[in-house]
Amino acid sequence: MDRIEERIVAIIDSNRSRILDFANDIYHNAELGYKEFRTSEKFQKFMEERVGRVEDNLAVTGVKAYLNEEKKENFSLALIGELDALRIPDHKCVNTKTEAAHCCGHHAQLAGVIGAALALTEGEIAEKLDGQIVFLAAPAEEYGEIEFKKSLMEQGKIGYGGGKCELIRIGAFDDIDACLAHHVSMKGITTGSGSTNGFVSKVITIKGRAAHAAAEKEKGVNALSAAALGLQGLAFNRETFRDEDCIRVHPIMTKGGNLVNVVPDEAVIETLVRGKTKEAFSDAAIKTDRSFKAGAMALGAGYRIETMPGYLPSLPQAMPEEIVEVIREAAAGKEVYEESLESHEGGSTDVGDVQHLMPVLTFHTGGVSGGLHQSEFAVYDEDESYILTAKIFALGAYRMLKDGAALGKKVRDEYKPIFKSKKEYTEFLDKFYSVEEGELWEKKITE
């Protein structure tokens, strides 16, 4: 490490308690996507103490804080932290008001970003950065509560369900050349990233006819039974999913009727349909639709299938050796693994959408156990999950932007984005919107 890098590490170490306090406050006050108002406000207030300009209310709750804005024409780097958590009401640190818990470690990202800001905004260090830093808090990475997000779309508050997708749409990435991103991992400290699945999201509404469930059951059309048949049809289709396509379809039922003695007249299914490529998840989406239409037809029910764009597959991206080198130094003897570019995971992230426009360099830190998205998730090593994360964000940013931002420009210039513009990206995503409806078989029921 050079003198500035040693200074970065020293500042973060000296602010250890402040970073841990921030992390643990977010951890115990988790919020769900597009509802992260407290988390967003806390991030915003912290940044207002450190930088000259902060933008808020981006994509509902997103925040951008600018350092060295006068240098943005040379290079602009975003450090991304995610605001939202998951609905896991039985987690020991659940926010009982929201039923949300940070079982994916997004609070560690935010702790890392604010820790990096403590160092990078220090006068001498900021002067050495030959480019703009954007400290970016992004909403709604976890793609849940599809009906809620659909309601925000109907109100005109968002265009997409994913936070970074929406930030792209409104132009929040227009002034950024590249990004640094982080996630916690059960594997420990890793650099670079393989690929992940893309997906579309669906809300499937089955329409039946209410009737007395005991006295006049023959006059009803059971929407719950039709939905159950749809789920069975989907299950039987699973053998047609190719292993190499990494298909994942995992529905939940958010409504199955109104009262136990009334034949259910409406059932609602939310699901994501994931796959390694857009061709793969598009094929699986057709089979999903077909299954629920068949279930509805078998019972004489109606249906409405609303499909919305989710996330694009994330793309393999190696970490530059110059940053890997400083990560190894910051890790102080801990093992650091370089992720294989051939690796693939069945989950999804809207980081992939950003990657379709610009490079996103990803690293992971450990210090967590119990599994992601599980009630057993726990942080057992705060120094690795929070403090090391802050050091890597800050040191990575410094290496990208020092010496005229030579490394940052090299990463940007060698990258080959899938889309050349935001317009091209949004036009592609909008193609996934569709609504298909089938009517209740009224005539056949009454004849």
Side-chain angles (χ1 to χ4, degrees), residues 62-123:
V63 180
K64 289 175 73 179
Y66 297 87
L67 172 66
N68 289 351
E69 196 171 3
E70 70 282 1
K71 300 179 182 179
K72 68 181 179 181
E73 297 304 322
N74 190 50
F75 195 83
S76 180
L77 177 69
L79 310 187
I80 301 177
E82 294 162 349
L83 292 163
D84 63 329
L86 297 147
R87 175 171 276 118
I88 301 184
D90 57 345
H91 189 266
K92 66 179 182 179
C93 295
V94 68
N95 180 346
T96 56
K97 295 179 181 178
T98 64
E99 295 190 334
H102 274 292
C103 299
C104 207
H106 293 177
H107 69 296
Q109 300 173 7
L110 294 173
V113 173
I114 68 102
L118 287 167
L120 296 175
T121 56
E122 196 271 336

Side-chain angles (χ1 to χ4, degrees), residues 66-312:
Y66 297 87
L67 172 66
N68 289 351
E69 196 171 3
E70 70 282 1
K71 300 179 182 179
K72 68 181 179 181
E73 297 304 322
N74 190 50
F75 195 83
S76 180
L77 177 69
L79 310 187
I80 301 177
E82 294 162 349
L83 292 163
D84 63 329
L86 297 147
R87 175 171 276 118
I88 301 184
D90 57 345
H91 189 266
K92 66 179 182 179
C93 295
V94 68
N95 180 346
T96 56
K97 295 179 181 178
T98 64
E99 295 190 334
H102 274 292
C103 299
C104 207
H106 293 177
H107 69 296
Q109 300 173 7
L110 294 173
V113 173
I114 68 102
L118 287 167
L120 296 175
T121 56
E122 196 271 336
E124 181 187 13
I125 296 171
E127 289 177 7
K128 295 290 185 180
L129 302 174
D130 294 325
Q132 172 180 261
I133 296 280
V134 176
F135 303 102
L136 175 58
E141 190 275 338
E142 303 292 353
Y143 204 106
E145 296 193 298
I146 302 172
E147 289 184 272
F148 166 69
K149 291 179 178 179
K150 186 162 70 73
S151 74
L152 293 183
M153 294 177 190
E154 291 167 353
Q155 297 170 51
K157 293 182 178 180
I158 60 171
Y160 299 126
K164 296 184 195 66
C165 310
E166 180 64 9
L167 288 171
I168 292 170
R169 186 185 74 85
I170 66 172
F173 281 95
D174 287 358
D175 61 347
I176 294 170
D177 295 303
C179 306
L180 274 177
H182 163 263
H183 210 287
V184 295
S185 172
M186 300 297 143
K187 295 188 293 186
I189 308 165
T190 65
T191 67
S193 56
S195 58
T196 63
N197 278 350
F199 68 87
V200 292
S201 69
K202 291 181 179 289
V203 177
I204 302 163
T205 305
I206 306 297
K207 291 289 189 179
R209 177 193 288 275
H212 195 296
E216 294 183 309
K217 64 185 187 304
E218 71 280 1
K219 294 183 179 180
V221 177
N222 195 314
L224 178 60
S225 295
L229 279 176
L231 289 168
Q232 285 185 296
L234 176 60
F236 285 126
N237 263 300
R238 292 185 189 278
E239 67 179 359
T240 72
F241 298 156
R242 303 190 312 166
D243 293 344
E244 58 266 36
D245 288 334
C246 199
I247 299 298
R248 303 287 189 271
V249 188
H250 38 89
I252 63 168
M253 184 175 291
T254 60
K255 183 178 181 181
N258 295 307
L259 201 63
V260 71
N261 62 352
V262 179
V263 173
D265 64 349
E266 184 176 80
V268 180
I269 301 284
E270 291 184 5
T271 192
L272 305 185
V273 183
R274 310 188 198 234
K276 192 172 185 178
T277 65
K278 64 180 178 63
E279 292 79 15
F281 65 69
S282 295
D283 175 71
I286 291 170
K287 293 173 181 176
T288 300
D289 293 353
R290 201 168 62 203
S291 297
F292 286 99
K293 286 189 282 187
M297 181 177 291
L299 272 292
Y303 63 86
R304 178 181 173 88
I305 301 175
E306 299 173 84
T307 303
M308 296 177 287
Y311 299 162
L312 298 179

Side-chain angles (χ1 to χ4, degrees), residues 381-418:
D381 186 343
E382 293 182 324
D383 284 293
E384 181 167 330
S385 294
Y386 308 143
I387 306 303
L388 180 60
T389 298
K391 291 176 182 178
I392 295 174
F393 264 130
L395 294 168
Y398 172 70
R399 291 226 166 172
M400 290 279 280
L401 295 182
K402 73 174 186 175
D403 300 329
L407 179 58
K409 291 176 180 178
K410 180 175 183 288
V411 169
R412 179 195 63 194
D413 295 345
E414 292 179 353
Y415 193 73
K416 295 179 173 57
I418 305 298

